[in-house]
Amino acid sequence: MKATQLLNYFTIPLILMANMAIAAQSVDKQLQVDDNLKLNIKVLRGEVKVSSWDKDEISVKGTLDELSEGFILDKQGNQVTLEDKMPRHFNGNNKSGSDLTIMVPKNLTLNAEGLSSSYNLSSLSGIIGIYSVSGNINASDIDNQIFIHTVSGNIKTSKLTGKIKLDTISGSIKDKNSDGEISYKLVSGELTSNTSAENVSIEQISGDANVQLKKVNELKVKTISGDITLAMNTLKSRASLDSVSGDIELNIPKNLAANFNINGGPGGKIRNSLTDDEPKKEKYSPTSYLKFQTGSAGADIKISTISGSIKLSD
Amino acid sequence: MNGKDSKLDDLIASLPKELIPENDLWDKIDKRLDAPISHMTKRSSHNLWRNAAIACLLLITAFIGQKFFNPLLPLPEVDSALINTLSEIKAQHEIQIAQLQQTSKLVNWQSSPYSSPVETGIDQLREAAKQIYESLKRNPTDKQLWQLWLWAQHREIELLRQGQKLPVSQNSQGATI
């Protein structure tokens, strides 16, 4: 009797340990790939790191999800699919998810998706698309075409170059040292950016934004109720900033040559600390306007609001 | 001739030397003259101010009433063709939204745990679109306002579509039929 009880004391932890061993199933796989690699990654939970090396080979190392139904590494021509297969329905949190490090050739077309999985991407070049629902996405040192979308996950990027689209619903976007053409789309998330991009588009609904721009060619800003503070060193072509009730603050150097056309709307306010020009009211309308020119007026700056405030300063 | 003159002289001679009134009214006139003048002046002066005040009040009321119901200031001329276009686009957008929502009800009958921020965003866009629409009706030639309005509509559709693609709860096993 005592021997049976003793056996049970040893057996139960052993069974549990065996389960843990299954849960933390490790993976270590390599695959030779062709030029023009098209890689699809599907990891629903956990952490995924994607980085480049100078080999025509994909390497996957790490552990699979606790509920993983198996790891898929499939190659069809230049198209490779990498998936940590999950059951149709599952419970649990992100900590129980996969933990994978994937090394890829630098030039590729990458399409990665996840549910709560966080992606860390670095040193890539090509068409890079990342979609995660609640996972965070960090991307650095990537060029060509980059599209990152989350629902509630935060996006943090640095040194992105090329055609960049960062899109989130309630997550935040923190971007620094990007260059090229960039588009930020947010609903309630906050935007913090320090970019050298020449063509910049910002669309936000209720989130606030703080954006530092350097050498802008074209700037488009649309906000509903979110406030935005923008600083800009130079403007080559045009800037168009519109808000419904959100406040717009534009900080530019006094010597920036531009035609200013500010529409304060029926309920908005215009404050100009840049020049001595003062806003005027239309004769038969409550709308206030401010039009003036600085320097030889090489660029156009149009700002409008319905009920927000517009502030110009240096 | 001499006969006529003598007749006239007789008639003149028959006239009384002075006219005496039947009743002596001087006492009454004298009393009236002695009556306090200030009393009468005060009353007439009071009436004058009252009438002036009423007149002013009527004028002010008329002015305010006219300003309120029929403004004296001319309204800016409104381009009816643009207003019609505005209404048409609004109607088309509403149809498109209704179709999308109908599809959503038919296909995605399970709610997503991630849909809340999307729905909030859609509501905010709709409210903003209403404000922009009202501003546009007053100023339909404002190109920038048009662009903002069309963008708000486009973004609403975009968010609706994104909301439809959101994953449903992974814990849910679906309804038992």
Side-chain angles (χ1 to χ4, degrees), chain A residues 50 148 152 216 221 242-243 248 276 279:
Chain A
V50 183
I148 299 174
S152 58
V216 181
V221 176
D242 303 302
S243 99
I248 297 172
D276 295 331

Side-chain angles (χ1 to χ4, degrees), chain A residues 44 113-116 131-135 149-153 167-171 187, chain B residues 104 107-122 158-170 172:
Chain A
L44 295 185
E113 62 176 293
L115 187 65
S116 57
Y131 178 94
S132 184
V133 177
S134 59
H149 176 87
T150 71
V151 176
S152 58
D167 183 349
T168 180
I169 305 289
S170 59
V187 175
Chain B
S104 172
V107 179
N108 293 338
W109 44 271
Q110 278 183 300
S111 67
S112 168
Y114 309 101
S115 62
S116 171
V118 181
E119 282 163 8
T120 310
I122 290 169
E158 202 174 53
L159 283 182
L160 268 171
R161 286 187 174 142
Q162 278 183 11
Q164 287 171 7
K165 286 177 190 166
L166 287 174
V168 294
S169 175
Q170 291 295 315
S172 169

Side-chain angles (χ1 to χ4, degrees), chain A residues 254 256-261 272 274-275 277 290-300:
Chain A
K254 277 192 172 177
L256 189 139
N259 270 319
F260 289 80
N261 191 341
N272 178 21
L274 198 66
T275 65
D277 300 276
L290 175 62
K291 289 179 185 179
F292 65 94
Q293 186 180 317
T294 52
S296 57
D300 287 316

Side-chain angles (χ1 to χ4, degrees), chain B residues 3-176:
Chain B
K4 279 183 181 176
D5 286 345
S6 62
K7 198 177 177 181
L8 184 64
D9 289 338
D10 291 344
L11 282 169
I12 291 167
S14 68
L15 282 172
K17 290 291 174 202
E18 58 180 322
L19 283 171
I20 300 162
E22 281 180 46
N23 300 316
D24 189 2
L25 298 171
W26 178 246
D27 284 344
K28 286 183 181 175
I29 293 164
D30 192 33
K31 274 180 188 172
R32 279 208 167 184
L33 288 172
D34 288 339
I37 297 166
S38 59
H39 177 70
M40 279 184 69
T41 316
K42 214 172 184 177
R43 184 186 278 175
S44 65
S45 156
H46 181 75
N47 285 343
L48 188 75
W49 280 111
R50 193 179 62 184
N51 291 341
I54 291 167
C56 282
L57 198 70
L58 283 170
L59 275 169
I60 290 164
T61 313
F63 181 72
I64 292 168
Q66 199 171 20
K67 281 275 275 183
F68 188 75
F69 293 109
N70 183 22
L72 281 169
L73 297 172
L75 284 169
E77 280 185 26
V78 174
D79 191 325
S80 57
L82 280 172
I83 294 287
N84 288 341
T85 312
L86 197 68
S87 308
E88 280 169 21
I89 292 171
K90 186 173 179 264
Q92 279 172 10
H93 176 71
E94 279 164 4
I95 292 166
Q96 205 173 355
I97 293 293
Q99 283 172 344
L100 272 168
Q101 283 173 331
Q102 185 65 24
T103 315
S104 172
K105 276 178 193 165
L106 290 170
V107 179
N108 293 338
W109 44 271
Q110 278 183 300
S111 67
S112 168
Y114 309 101
S115 62
S116 171
V118 181
E119 282 163 8
T120 310
I122 290 169
D123 289 343
Q124 286 168 337
L125 277 166
R126 279 182 191 155
E127 196 53 45
K130 275 185 202 167
Q131 282 185 53
I132 306 167
Y133 180 74
E134 290 305 317
S135 284
L136 260 179
K137 277 205 294 190
R138 283 191 293 270
N139 193 8
T141 51
D142 190 328
K143 203 175 151 188
Q144 219 165 340
L145 210 55
W146 267 95
Q147 284 171 349
L148 187 64
W149 186 56
L150 293 173
W151 168 77
Q153 291 184 341
H154 172 76
R155 197 80 176 100
E156 186 188 347
I157 290 169
E158 202 174 53
L159 283 182
L160 268 171
R161 286 187 174 142
Q162 278 183 11
Q164 287 171 7
K165 286 177 190 166
L166 287 174
V168 294
S169 175
Q170 291 295 315
N171 301 332
S172 169
Q173 296 296 316
T176 307

Side-chain angles (χ1 to χ4, degrees), chain A residues 260-291:
Chain A
F260 289 80
N261 191 341
I262 319 291
N263 181 342
K269 280 182 187 172
I270 303 173
R271 282 185 292 165
N272 178 21
S273 310
L274 198 66
T275 65
D276 295 331
D277 300 276
E278 288 186 1
K280 289 172 186 168
K281 286 235 176 218
E282 272 197 339
K283 200 172 180 184
Y284 302 120
S285 158
T287 302
S288 56
Y289 283 97
L290 175 62
K291 289 179 185 179

Side-chain angles (χ1 to χ4, degrees), chain A:
Chain A
M1 185 68 182
K2 275 185 180 176
T4 320
Q5 273 182 336
L6 202 66
L7 192 67
N8 282 343
Y9 287 134
F10 282 107
T11 321
I12 292 164
L14 278 170
I15 292 166
L16 285 171
M17 280 175 73
N19 275 338
M20 280 172 72
I22 292 164
Q25 188 186 343
S26 60
V27 61
D28 185 355
K29 292 196 175 188
Q30 284 79 38
L31 183 74
Q32 284 289 325
V33 290
D34 308 325
D35 288 345
N36 303 319
L37 171 66
K38 287 184 181 173
L39 176 63
N40 298 312
I41 301 174
K42 190 176 179 183
V43 177
L44 295 185
R45 303 191 300 180
E47 301 275 339
V48 183
K49 284 177 195 161
V50 183
S51 196
S52 69
W53 59 2
D54 53 358
K55 295 180 185 174
D56 291 333
E57 196 177 285
I58 292 175
S59 157
V60 186
K61 282 183 183 175
T63 52
L64 297 180
D65 194 293
E66 282 181 9
L67 301 173
S68 174
E69 291 182 341
F71 184 71
I72 297 167
L73 185 58
D74 179 51
K75 188 184 171 197
Q76 303 271 337
N78 64 344
Q79 193 153 317
V80 175
T81 301
L82 192 158
E83 182 180 352
D84 192 357
K85 185 87 177 146
M86 292 289 283
R88 191 173 162 79
H89 301 287
F90 56 84
N91 294 319
N93 58 38
N94 203 45
K95 284 178 184 171
S96 319
S98 327
D99 187 2
L100 299 173
T101 301
I102 303 165
M103 301 301 289
V104 295
K106 191 175 171 74
N107 293 299
L108 80 165
T109 298
L110 173 65
N111 183 27
E113 62 176 293
L115 187 65
S116 57
S117 47
S118 295
Y119 279 89
N120 270 288
L121 303 107
S122 61
S123 305
L124 301 171
S125 178
I127 302 168
I128 312 295
I130 316 293
Y131 178 94
S132 184
V133 177
S134 59
N136 298 328
I137 296 172
N138 291 334
S140 63
D141 203 8
I142 301 175
D143 68 56
N144 206 339
Q145 289 185 45
I146 304 121
F147 174 65
I148 299 174
H149 176 87
T150 71
V151 176
S152 58
N154 300 322
I155 299 171
K156 195 175 176 184
T157 55
S158 70
K159 291 184 187 171
L160 303 188
T161 311
K163 200 172 177 179
I164 307 151
K165 286 184 180 180
L166 308 179
D167 183 349
T168 180
I169 305 289
S170 59
S172 67
I173 297 177
K174 285 183 182 172
D175 171 50
K176 61 178 183 181
N177 301 330
S178 53
D179 206 340
E181 187 181 322
I182 196 157
S183 154
Y184 305 103
K185 274 189 185 180
L186 307 100
V187 175
S188 55
E190 310 256 314
L191 168 67
T192 312
S193 164
N194 186 336
T195 178
S196 302
E198 290 198 347
N199 296 318
V200 181
S201 165
I202 302 164
E203 295 178 28
Q204 58 182 38
I205 294 173
S206 59
D208 298 335
N210 193 325
V211 180
Q212 306 278 325
L213 304 163
K214 289 186 178 78
K215 37 163 195 175
V216 181
N217 177 51
E218 188 171 358
L219 169 68
K220 287 179 187 172
V221 176
K222 285 185 168 60
T223 175
I224 298 294
S225 58
D227 301 335
I228 184 161
T229 304
L230 284 142
M232 186 164 60
N233 291 342
T234 59
L235 177 66
K236 209 185 282 179
S237 180
R238 67 179 75 91
S240 166
L241 300 92
D242 303 302
S243 99
V244 176
S245 58
D247 299 338
I248 297 172
E249 185 178 339
L250 182 62
N251 301 314
I252 46 174
K254 277 192 172 177
N255 60 359
L256 189 139
N259 270 319
F260 289 80
N261 191 341
I262 319 291
N263 181 342
K269 280 182 187 172
I270 303 173
R271 282 185 292 165
N272 178 21
S273 310
L274 198 66
T275 65
D276 295 331
D277 300 276
E278 288 186 1
K280 289 172 186 168
K281 286 235 176 218
E282 272 197 339
K283 200 172 180 184
Y284 302 120
S285 158
T287 302
S288 56
Y289 283 97
L290 175 62
K291 289 179 185 179
F292 65 94
Q293 186 180 317
T294 52
S296 57
D300 287 316
I301 296 178
K302 288 182 179 178
I303 310 175
S304 80
T305 184
I306 291 177
S307 59
S309 80
I310 297 168
K311 189 182 172 188
L312 298 175
S313 55
D314 57 348

